[in-house]
Each structure stands twice: as structure tokens, then as C-alpha cells.
Amino acid sequence: MRVLTGIQPSGRLHLGNYLGAIRQSVALQAKADDCFYFIADYHALTTVTDPQALRDAVHGVALDFLAAGLDPEKVVFFRQSDVPQVQELTWLLSIVTPVSRLELAHSYKDKIAHGKEATHGLFSYPVLMAADILLYRSNLVPVGKDQKQHLEITRDLAVKFNMKFGETFVLPEGYIPDEVATVPGTDGQKMSKSYGNTIPLSGTDKEVKKAIMGIVTDSAPVEAPKDPETNTVYKIYKLLAPPEKAAEMAEKFRAGGYGYGDAKKELLRAYHEALDPFRERRAALEARPDDVRDILAAGAAKARVEADKTLHAARRAVGLE
Ligand code: ADP
Ligand code: TRP
């Protein structure tokens, strides 16, 4: 069984990305027969317009995955644009893509509703994503809930192409790990780079402290008993600290006499306990940019071999070969 997933390098990753996506993807490497993980830089171009910011983000995401324990021996880890074959497949899939299907894509509609320009790139984003998935004959695609519809589009396009031109593509299954909790941001909404409410993953100690001490809380006095389940400090703590420590904090909140300031300090400690090994590995890798480049280049070479096989099959199917 082949697992494939992509992550967009659209900025510095945050604690929500780590707990909600990176950690799961890295854990899967031990279970799957083979894994293809890539940095979706072509996709990121729909949002990142500064060239240096894109380069930095690609490098940053690579560091994040490697520091989180991605093993390049087990995972074909590469940069999407290092395998330009995906663009040709995007075109072949475009031939069977109804415009009406893309017009119904939630993520496209949301972005337009938020004032983004309706470019062709944004519109055909799901076709490129389908090409990513089908090019590598993926069986299982771990994604966040927001990507579910893109998976459905991918399956529809594969079925249409196979019906029209003969069996060419493997039908993938989406995999939305449901045990993954949504990590709240410092304002209590979902942590997201678009909301400016993130706790950094790789920022300086000072940045981390500033974010954690800045978590928005209510104005209940220290002595008041508090419901842990409705407070953001505890919700994040629960995701980072060992269960017995989380239970202890919940108890202190319920008993009263425990203030948010103390809880934030406790959360800061838990953050460092949970993430310092990651942060140290990341810093060590950061000092060896050539190693990271070599890993991505080796991954791309392996990915290209697989990509060529599928692309030839698709080209033959339509009559280009
Ligand atoms: P952002 O909302 O910051 O733009 P993305 O949409 O790029 O993040 O998400 C990349 C991955 O990280 C996805 O798999 C997504 O499900 C996961 N993720 C993002 N934010 C969170 C969060 N707050 N809690 C859990 N997972 C998250
Ligand atoms: N669209 C995905 C996201 O924003 C990233 C992505 C691009 C992807 N291509 C993919 C995910 C292929 C899984 C498979 O999260």
C-alpha cells in the first residue's frame, strides 16, 4: 500500500500543523509499505507571491519534516516542482475535468469569497492535486478535513479518464485521521496562519513565550473555580503534556485558586519538554543546508522514476505515444 501526502509551503508551520499533520504523517512511515511525501510548491504559488519567501518556506518545511523524524530511507521525500511531469498529467486530466465540478469546489469558493482574485491557477488547483495523487499511483492519501472534496474530485477524474481512455489510474482513498484534534490558536479559534493566532514551532524561545503568554483568557479571578474544557490554555496543554499532568491541571482549575498566568507558565514548560528535542534536531539540520538539499534531490530522482511510468501510460492511453 502506498501512502502519499503533500503539504503546502505557504509560510512558517505552527504547532497546529505539527500536532495535526506532521506528527501523523511521520508516524505512518512505520506502517505503510511505501510513502511519498512532497512539498507542494506549485500549489503554494497560488498564495505566495514573493520568490524568496517561497524558497525559505520550502526549506523550512523540509527541516520541519526531517526534524520531526521523517526517515528519507523509508519515505520518498521531495519537492513537487522537481517532478515537472505532474504538469503534463494535469493537462491530460484537464481534458476530462468539467468546469462545473471545479466551480463547486469549496476551497475555491471560500478564497474568492474572501476577496482573492479568481485566477485560473486557483480554479484548477484541484486538477493539479489530482495529478499529484494519480501520478504516483497512491492508495491512501492522509489529508485534513478541508481537503476531502479535493479527494472526491481526484477519484471522479480518475474514473472518467479510465472510462474514456481505458484503465490507467489507481483509485485512491482519502484518509482523515479522526483522532486528530483541532489545535486552538491563542485567540481560541482554530490555530491558523491566516488568523495570526499561532504558536510557532521553530521560532525563538522569546517568540514562543510571547505567543503562549498572550493566549486570550476570560477575566475570572484567580480564586474562582474554572471549567478547564472551555479554556484555551488547558486545551493546548492537554495536547502537549502527558495525560496525568493534564488531569492535574484540570483538577487545579476546577478547585479554584489557580490562575491563568500560572497555567500559561506550565504550558510553556510542557511546550519545551515536548518540542525541544524537535527544535534541537531542526537547529542542527539548519546548519547543514546541503544535506537537506541532497535528501530532496534523491527523493525527486526516485519520484521521477515512478512519475514517468504513469505519465507514459497516460500518454499512450490518449494517443500521444
Ligand atoms: P493553516 O490553517 O495554518 O493555513 P494549512 O491549511 O496549511 O494550515 O494546514 C496544513 C495541515 O495542517 C493540514 O493537514 C491541516 O489539517 C493541519 N492543521 C492546520 N491547522 C491545524 C490545527 N489548528 N489543528 C490541527 N491541524 C491543523
Ligand atoms: N492541497 C493540500 C493542502 O492544502 C496540499 C496538497 C497538494 C496535497 N497536493 C496534494 C495533499 C496531494 C495530499 C495529496 O493541504
Side-chain angles (χ1 to χ4, degrees):
M1 189 190 38
R2 175 168 295 170
V3 178
L4 169 134
T5 195
I7 185 148
Q8 284 200 65
S10 40
R12 270 206 308 173
L13 297 186
H14 51 73
L15 186 64
N17 299 134
Y18 180 77
L19 298 175
I22 302 181
R23 218 170 47 169
Q24 278 73 19
S25 303
V26 171
L28 267 179
Q29 73 189 3
K31 296 191 199 146
D33 298 327
D34 65 355
C35 294
F36 279 60
Y37 294 172
F38 66 92
I39 305 171
D41 54 353
Y42 281 140
H43 278 113
L45 282 173
T46 60
T47 43
V48 184
T49 49
D50 173 41
Q52 195 51 42
L54 182 63
R55 286 179 203 109
D56 291 346
V58 168
H59 184 62
V61 172
L63 290 174
D64 289 332
F65 271 86
L66 293 168
L70 181 143
D71 177 354
E73 298 295 320
K74 293 203 181 107
V75 176
V76 177
F77 186 44
F78 62 104
R79 188 166 73 151
Q80 184 185 30
S81 65
D82 281 339
V83 191
Q85 285 85 336
V86 74
Q87 293 298 347
E88 186 171 355
L89 188 61
T90 301
W91 179 249
L92 300 186
L93 292 172
S94 296
I95 305 305
V96 296
T97 307
V99 167
S100 56
R101 188 80 173 92
L102 299 181
E103 277 169 345
L104 294 174
H106 305 305
S107 104
Y108 173 71
K109 288 197 296 188
D110 281 357
K111 286 181 177 142
I112 303 305
H114 281 90
K116 262 191 91 96
E117 190 189 356
T119 63
H120 184 257
L122 206 55
F123 187 60
S124 61
Y125 182 112
V127 190
L128 175 59
M129 181 158 162
D132 288 325
I133 295 169
L134 300 176
L135 187 61
Y136 301 106
R137 297 184 300 283
S138 321
N139 304 112
L140 204 64
V141 184
V143 283
K145 285 190 206 82
D146 57 329
Q147 298 294 314
K148 203 167 156 238
Q149 194 187 26
H150 289 159
L151 251 303
E152 286 157 12
I153 296 175
T154 302
R155 288 173 59 91
D156 288 354
L157 298 187
V159 168
K160 272 194 91 169
F161 190 100
N162 285 351
M163 296 247 289
K164 202 167 175 152
F165 298 110
E167 282 303 310
T168 309
F169 298 122
V170 173
L171 275 195
E173 300 286 339
Y175 169 64
I176 300 169
D178 52 14
E179 73 275 16
V180 181
T182 298
V183 182
T186 53
D187 59 357
Q189 296 187 76
K190 171 187 183 267
M191 188 180 292
S192 168
K193 62 180 165 299
S194 358
Y195 302 151
N197 63 358
T198 59
I199 296 174
L201 193 53
S202 55
T204 60
D205 288 356
K206 211 169 144 194
E207 286 171 310
V208 173
K209 184 168 181 193
K210 186 160 173 251
I212 289 181
M213 297 317 276
I215 293 173
V216 178
T217 53
D218 60 30
S219 53
V222 173
E223 40 316 336
K226 302 172 188 69
D227 178 3
E229 299 302 335
T230 58
N231 94 59
T232 310
V233 182
Y234 173 73
K235 282 192 206 162
I236 303 176
Y237 186 73
K238 201 165 74 171
L239 296 168
L240 285 175
E244 62 284 2
K245 297 273 262 181
E248 236 170 69
M249 183 185 280
E251 199 35 56
K252 284 197 236 168
F253 269 127
R254 284 196 201 97
Y258 185 61
Y260 292 118
D262 286 336
K264 286 178 185 176
K265 284 186 200 139
E266 197 58 40
L267 172 59
L268 185 61
R269 267 196 292 278
Y271 173 99
H272 282 294
E273 240 162 67
L275 288 164
D276 279 355
F278 163 90
R279 289 159 62 82
E280 282 156 21
R281 279 194 299 272
R282 194 181 190 282
L285 276 164
E286 209 167 0
R288 301 182 342 244
D290 289 348
D291 290 0
V292 176
R293 234 166 276 141
D294 289 349
I295 290 170
L296 290 178
K302 288 188 207 154
R304 275 194 294 268
V305 172
E306 288 302 297
D308 278 332
K309 287 187 209 160
T310 313
L311 187 59
H312 280 303
R315 285 172 54 98
R316 268 195 303 278
V318 299
L320 288 174
E321 286 179 15

